[in-house]
Amino acid sequence: MSSAEPKGKKQKTEEDDGIPLPDLSPVDFINLTSHSDAFGVDPIPVSWGHPNPMVRGPVICTIRHAAQRNAIGAHQGSYCVYTGLAVAAGKLNPEHMPDLKLTSPVFDIGPFPSWADPKKIASIDPFGHVVTDCYRSYLDKGYDIRPTIAVTKAHIDLPETREAMAAGRLKADGTVLLATGQSIVSKAAIEPVWYLPEVARRFGCTEAILRQSIFRMTNGMYPELITRPDLKIFLPPIGGLTIYIWGDPATIPDEDIPLTCRVHDECNGSDVFGSDICTCRPYMTHAIEECIKTAQAGGCGIVVYFRKEGRSLGEVTKYLVYNTRKRQEGGDSAEKYFNCTEQVAGVQDTRFQALMPDPLHFLGVTKIHNFISMSDMKYNAIVQTGIKIENRVEIPPELVPADAQVEITAKVFHGYNAGSSYKGIDMKDMKETKGREYAYEQPKEKQAAEYIVDDK
């Protein structure tokens, strides 16, 4: 049984600092769910949006403090399952407490006024990178509190950057861009931390409907979404995001200093392996080139990289859509580009963009001078949160791969902004723009017996 006081009673403290003693739960005890009115349940209070981190309270979502835990879910997003495998394999002690002494950020971010506004930040913890500073008093008492943001620096080495140098578009300066072609970046990895009331507001539904929908569509993975309405924070099992910064991050909030920005959604096939069916990697590397130029001119460049593979439908769904596009009657055409996704997934896109601007507000962005994107959904989502966008930069037509003409033609026709180079696209272009043919045979129906494995 938990040693915590019943809910409603003041928890015991070592000192008169308002911080209760940590309740250390046995890690081998399995509780299928918890209830807000159960004996001993007394989560550490969280006042989301409060500018004082101690008043706001730490996000506690580890297995050590069952009674005092104030969030649903687990750290590390989808990787939390691998943590379970490590424990099962005997490779990880479930009682391990991380040594965070040398993990603090290598450059400063914030605080900014946006950190105290839930309408600007509701999908990340703005204090997630300064846990060891803001919540030292909790850590010293034995609480297991984990950072949800890590801030570091790196060198980025891209062949497209070296090509831009060879073509004379970029020149090494020894500070932002080295003679080797490497660019120097500051970066932050961020795990999602959702404040459910505000997430629900942004999606135009009640908090109850949001909780029920996530519970239902994850096959009941998180019963506390239903049984713990008092817990307003959720660490979802999804991919996070990474922020890459060229130039001095301290200049980002200054509206008089040029800021170039791209918000990019993951596309493993293109971004990593160079698949030419889409414009993802060309857009990303073009944005990086523009970020380097801006940083060299005294400004700053940002690329926010979201793990939203396949429009957040996943890579398996994306490849099923690819097969449908190539096999459909008439071949891969711009005219039917969006229909194929809806045919397979039931929806064209599940990225939405309601939560997307949050990392920009985390950085203190109030004005973007050059926005590298053709997505009106992203543009509108950003400006609706109060960030000004001065200029939209199009992708040069020569960077669009041949097989990606289907994608960009369809997107421009349906309202995406690709600049002057793609103006005037009409239904004739939609019908005539075709993708590469692979001569796939039409799928044949087979009986299950044909898939029996012969293990002789």
Side-chain angles (χ1 to χ4, degrees):
M1 181 176 291
S2 169
S3 61
E5 295 284 337
K7 187 177 180 182
K9 293 186 178 181
K10 185 176 180 181
Q11 298 178 349
K12 294 179 292 184
T13 62
E14 287 182 353
E15 305 164 4
D16 190 18
D17 58 4
I19 300 175
L21 291 169
D23 172 43
L24 299 179
S25 309
V27 296
D28 57 351
F29 175 73
I30 297 176
N31 188 15
L32 296 181
T33 190
S34 64
H35 298 269
S36 54
D37 57 354
F39 177 84
V41 172
D42 198 2
I44 297 296
V46 175
S47 180
W48 192 272
H50 199 285
N52 184 331
M54 285 297 288
V55 177
R56 200 293 303 267
V59 173
I60 301 178
C61 199
T62 50
I63 65 172
R64 302 300 304 282
H65 316 293
Q68 294 157 316
R69 179 171 50 83
N70 55 21
I72 301 166
H75 286 282
Q76 298 177 273
S78 58
Y79 295 104
C80 66
V81 177
Y82 289 98
T83 303
L85 289 176
V87 171
K91 302 296 184 181
L92 175 65
N93 182 348
E95 297 186 2
H96 171 73
M97 292 275 283
D99 183 350
L100 302 174
K101 290 194 298 291
L102 302 178
T103 64
S104 60
V106 300
F107 65 93
D108 293 333
I109 300 178
F112 301 111
S114 53
W115 290 17
D117 186 350
K119 291 184 177 181
K120 288 184 167 58
I121 298 181
S123 63
I124 61 179
D125 178 4
F127 301 108
H129 60 310
V130 287
V131 164
T132 55
D133 291 335
C134 292
Y135 304 114
R136 170 54 55 193
S137 52
Y138 281 87
L139 294 170
D140 288 345
K141 280 194 172 183
Y143 278 91
D144 186 1
I145 302 173
R146 308 287 177 95
T148 55
I149 301 174
V151 178
T152 189
K153 292 190 176 184
H155 285 45
I156 302 295
D157 197 341
L158 289 173
E160 287 88 347
T161 302
R162 294 194 295 273
E163 291 168 6
M165 293 174 69
R169 299 195 306 271
L170 288 176
K171 293 183 179 179
D173 63 348
T175 303
V176 178
L177 182 61
L178 305 181
T180 59
Q182 293 179 314
S183 61
I184 300 173
V185 299
S186 306
K187 62 180 184 177
I190 300 179
E191 293 178 3
V193 178
W194 288 4
Y195 179 58
L196 292 173
E198 173 59 17
V199 172
R201 187 198 69 80
R202 295 192 197 182
F203 280 84
C205 66
T206 64
E207 184 184 339
I209 291 296
L210 176 66
R211 288 170 175 264
Q212 292 167 13
S213 298
I214 296 173
F215 176 74
R216 181 183 301 116
M217 298 311 293
T218 56
N219 283 324
M221 188 184 298
Y222 297 100
E224 286 182 326
L225 286 168
I226 307 301
T227 65
R228 294 296 301 274
D230 61 313
L231 299 184
K232 301 297 185 182
I233 297 173
F234 178 42
L235 275 60
I238 61 175
L241 64 101
T242 308
I243 299 171
Y244 294 87
I245 303 170
W246 288 261
D248 184 359
T251 67
I252 291 173
D254 191 333
E255 293 190 0
D256 293 326
I257 297 177
L259 177 64
T260 294
C261 175
R262 173 164 176 78
V263 177
H264 189 92
D265 296 325
E266 178 184 32
C267 176
N268 183 65
S270 177
D271 296 345
V272 179
F273 292 97
S275 172
D276 70 347
I277 199 171
C278 62
T279 59
C280 295
R281 183 181 175 97
Y283 239 128
M284 180 180 69
T285 56
H286 172 57
I288 290 173
E289 182 176 328
E290 293 300 312
C291 286
I292 292 172
K293 290 177 181 177
T294 302
Q296 289 181 323
C300 196
I302 301 171
V303 172
V304 181
Y305 192 92
F306 278 94
R307 272 38 174 224
K308 294 181 179 179
E309 178 64 64
R311 301 182 194 159
S312 291
L313 295 167
E315 198 165 28
V316 169
T317 297
K318 181 165 74 171
Y319 287 8
L320 296 176
V321 172
Y322 285 170
N323 287 349
T324 300
R325 283 173 54 184
K326 299 298 183 181
R327 280 176 169 152
Q328 66 185 328
E329 184 177 350
D332 186 12
S333 70
E335 182 183 14
K336 299 179 180 178
Y337 174 80
F338 286 108
N339 293 342
C340 291
T341 303
E342 195 161 354
Q343 179 181 329
V344 173
V347 63
Q348 290 184 6
D349 196 326
T350 55
R351 288 172 298 179
F352 307 106
Q353 299 297 345
L355 306 178
M356 177 270 296
D358 286 26
L360 299 177
H361 290 293
F362 169 66
L363 295 173
V365 174
T366 57
K367 182 178 181 179
I368 298 171
H369 297 78
N370 301 299
F371 186 52
I372 318 292
S373 175
M374 64 178 174
S375 170
D376 282 344
M377 289 177 63
K378 291 178 180 177
Y379 173 88
N380 292 334
I382 290 171
V383 298
Q384 285 169 6
T385 64
I387 295 175
K388 299 180 285 291
I389 294 180
E390 190 172 85
N391 181 39
R392 299 179 70 172
V393 180
E394 63 188 80
I395 184 172
E398 62 270 18
L399 295 184
V400 179
D403 206 33
Q405 294 297 332
V406 169
E407 176 202 66
I408 198 164
T409 300
K411 286 182 174 180
V412 171
F413 181 82
H414 285 281
Y416 283 62
N417 188 328
S420 58
S421 299
Y422 288 91
K423 281 187 176 179
I425 288 178
D426 56 19
M427 184 53 71
K428 182 174 180 289
D429 297 307
M430 291 281 284
K431 292 178 180 295
E432 292 179 351
T433 303
K434 303 285 186 178
R436 182 183 297 117
E437 294 185 6
Y438 285 106
Y440 289 147
E441 293 182 2
Q442 289 297 319
K444 300 175 182 178
E445 290 188 8
K446 294 184 179 182
Q447 300 298 317
E450 296 183 61
Y451 291 97
I452 296 176
V453 177
D454 184 356
D455 59 356
K456 294 180 180 179

